[in-house]
Amino acid sequence: ICRGFSSSAVRAVVIKHVTIIGGGQMGSGIAQVAASTGHSVTLVDTSEDILKKSVKTIEGSLRRVVKKKFADKPEAGEEYVQKVLKNVSTSSDAGSAAQGTDLVLEAIVENLQVKQDLFSHLDKLAPAHTIFASNTSSLSISDIASSTSRLDRFGGLHFFNPVPMMKLVEVCGTSATSQETFDSLMNFSKELGKTPVSCKDTPGFIVNRLLVPYILEAYHLHERGHGSKEDVDIAMKLGAGYPMGPFELSDYIGLDTIKFILDGWRVMDPNNPSFAPSELLNKLVAEGKLGKKTGEGFYKYK
Ligand code: CAA
Ligand code: NAD
């Protein structure tokens, strides 16, 4: 699995077994893609019930993929689905899942303290060669890594929603990430069939630093009474060629995640008008209307 390492640095880890913590929208998507490309995956969440839902999501998404790929051969398609699912096991015990794995990739709630607590716990249990990575949308990788003693084996691996369809992965190395770790994360992204880009450890990396302020501007424009949600979405789709308008996309990302990003960035840059609170966003999150994943956000689903 590992082509030689010392206690302080890892060289060319070939990632075969991946432990993904968080079986929500992102974790289940990453698990699907990793399993589809021949990796063994252990998917971890807080309860067996959530994990059952995660596996159902993976199965549903795989069926969408095979419907096209195996259009004339439904039996071969079914065989493919079962083969991929065999590569996925589940666990509600992150500590034991981190033992004997090459990569621990975290896709849990967008909260620094919760991510630090998780990695600090796993740092004591995972093998020395194991790389840790975060799928954070907005937090500093160095801050998350500071809860561990493996700063050289820690990086950012940022996927996009829906993971099976979106081709990009942002790979982030901090000033302490070793070249070997960075290379391993780049190679892993390519093995998943994605196109990686290299990012600095700056808030939002590349995509979210540009995309999130645009989404927030849409909320402010709407709150000023300058356009309905529907018109803003139609305008950006038909006038700018975006596949989804900012309100639709917010529901797709998850309004809790957007609120975590906005609240965190306001602390970082309090005078930036883009990061001013949005009453509408706060109200929807307080009501548990988190977007597509809960059946309602800016719009209703089902
Ligand atoms: N699993 C498998 N296949 C899926 C899928 C999934 N979860 N979601 C969509 N697809 C497939 C469909 O099966 C369909 O395949 P075919 O063309 O082969 O039939 C194809 O994708 C298109 O789907 P739809 O016809 O249902 O819908 P669409 O054409 O509107 O595409 C979309 C859906 C790909 C999601 C598109 O609307 C899109 O690109 N939206 C923007 C998504 C985006 O910007 N994501 C980034 C969010 S920001 C982020 O992720 C970072 C962060 O940190 C917050
Ligand atoms: P989600 O709410 O769909 O899923 C999060 C999952 O993590 C839930 O199933 C929850 O039960 C689980 N969880 C929470 N704390 C946990 C813990 N301590 N141990 C194990 N499991 C735990 O969220 P998501 O949309 O999948 O986002 C997850 C992460 O990925 C966040 O950091 C988010 O910023 C980032 N991200 C999100 C998107 C997006 O578009 N939604 C895109 C890229 C990155």
Side-chain angles (χ1 to χ4, degrees):
I1 290 173
C2 176
R3 292 195 206 118
F5 60 92
S6 70
S7 58
S8 62
V10 181
R11 273 190 293 281
V13 170
V14 178
I15 295 165
K16 291 283 178 208
H17 185 282
V18 194
T19 296
I20 297 168
I21 319 279
Q25 308 186 103
M26 296 307 293
S28 54
I30 301 165
Q32 178 188 331
V33 173
S36 302
T37 48
H39 299 84
S40 324
V41 179
T42 302
L43 187 58
V44 177
D45 210 299
T46 48
S47 78
E48 294 301 332
D49 276 355
I50 297 177
L51 286 165
K52 265 190 203 140
K53 244 181 93 187
S54 311
V55 172
K56 270 218 154 11
T57 302
I58 295 174
E59 201 174 333
S61 178
L62 280 171
R63 289 198 198 285
R64 284 174 83 168
V65 173
V66 299
K67 211 170 164 187
K68 194 172 174 194
K69 216 170 151 187
F70 296 90
D72 312 330
K73 300 180 208 146
E75 277 170 24
E78 187 53 33
E79 217 172 279
Y80 173 79
V81 171
Q82 295 311 326
K83 191 176 144 210
V84 174
L85 287 174
K86 269 207 186 111
N87 287 343
V88 182
S89 58
T90 59
S91 167
S92 53
D93 179 354
S96 61
Q99 288 161 27
T101 195
D102 304 314
L103 172 69
V104 174
L105 174 57
E106 160 283 312
I108 64 169
V109 61
E110 185 72 352
N111 178 297
L112 178 62
Q113 188 64 55
V114 180
K115 290 187 193 290
Q116 284 178 333
D117 289 349
L118 173 76
F119 279 124
S120 143
H121 172 60
L122 299 185
D123 192 32
K124 298 174 192 91
L125 301 168
H129 81 276
T130 305
I131 295 173
F132 284 4
S134 171
N135 183 52
T136 180
S137 297
S138 65
L139 301 169
S140 151
I141 299 296
S142 299
D143 287 351
I144 304 172
S146 68
S147 63
T148 73
S149 59
R150 60 181 80 210
L151 302 185
D152 56 332
R153 284 150 288 156
F154 205 115
L157 204 56
H158 185 223
F159 289 82
F160 293 82
N161 189 15
V163 181
M165 301 308 298
M166 304 303 280
K167 293 284 178 217
L168 185 71
V169 178
E170 292 178 324
V171 180
C172 167
T174 71
S175 55
T177 306
S178 69
Q179 189 61 45
E180 293 79 2
T181 297
F182 184 79
D183 292 346
S184 302
L185 294 176
M186 282 297 236
N187 290 342
F188 176 63
S189 305
K190 287 179 197 158
E191 276 173 28
L192 299 190
K194 304 295 183 194
T195 301
V197 290
S198 166
C199 294
K200 297 292 174 205
D201 188 17
T202 55
F205 307 126
I206 298 171
V207 172
N208 283 346
R209 187 64 187 85
L210 299 175
L211 187 64
V212 173
Y214 147 75
I215 289 174
L216 301 175
E217 276 311 314
Y219 300 171
H220 298 321
L221 183 156
H222 171 60
E223 285 171 335
R224 288 194 301 271
H226 293 173
S228 69
K229 291 173 299 197
E230 291 79 3
D231 280 350
V232 171
D233 280 349
I234 290 170
M236 292 314 292
K237 283 190 283 192
L238 302 189
Y242 288 16
M244 288 175 167
F247 292 97
E248 266 182 287
L249 183 58
S250 298
D251 277 353
Y252 207 70
I253 291 169
L255 303 191
D256 52 341
T257 296
I258 296 197
K259 183 169 158 52
F260 268 122
I261 298 173
L262 171 56
D263 291 349
W265 284 5
R266 189 164 53 252
V267 172
M268 170 188 89
D269 189 0
N271 297 322
N272 188 330
S274 291
F275 303 153
S278 157
E279 275 181 31
L280 181 55
L281 177 69
N282 288 345
K283 180 173 173 288
L284 290 169
V285 171
E287 290 169 354
K289 294 173 181 163
L290 306 182
K292 225 173 158 214
K293 64 184 171 186
T294 59
E296 187 172 349
F298 287 110
Y299 300 109
K300 283 195 174 134
Y301 299 87
K302 282 174 221 169

